[in-house]
Amino acid sequence: MKEFLKEYWQFIRTQKKWWLLPIIVVLLLTTVLIVFAGSSISAFVYTLF
């Protein structure tokens, strides 16, 4: 996984694809929210929004 992230970061730097970073961040945050939605933390997440 580290190697993939390193390669991805090098791709973004060399190809100047900075617009990909916000997309990846939003996808990661959505994934985390979906994972926590099935757990006991979901009650706390709902109170935040």
Side-chain angles (χ1 to χ4, degrees):
M1 187 66 175
K2 283 184 181 181
E3 212 169 297
F4 171 74
L5 292 175
K6 220 184 262 188
E7 186 176 334
Y8 181 71
W9 178 247
Q10 287 175 352
F11 170 75
I12 288 177
R13 280 192 4 216
T14 58
Q15 300 295 323
K16 307 293 187 209
K17 304 283 186 186
W18 297 108
W19 54 271
L20 286 173
L21 282 177
I23 295 171
I24 298 300
V25 169
V26 168
L27 286 174
L28 287 174
L29 289 175
T30 304
T31 304
V32 168
L33 187 62
I34 289 171
V35 167
F36 286 140
S39 67
S40 62
I41 298 175
S42 63
F44 299 111
V45 172
Y46 292 133
T47 60
L48 293 175
F49 300 105

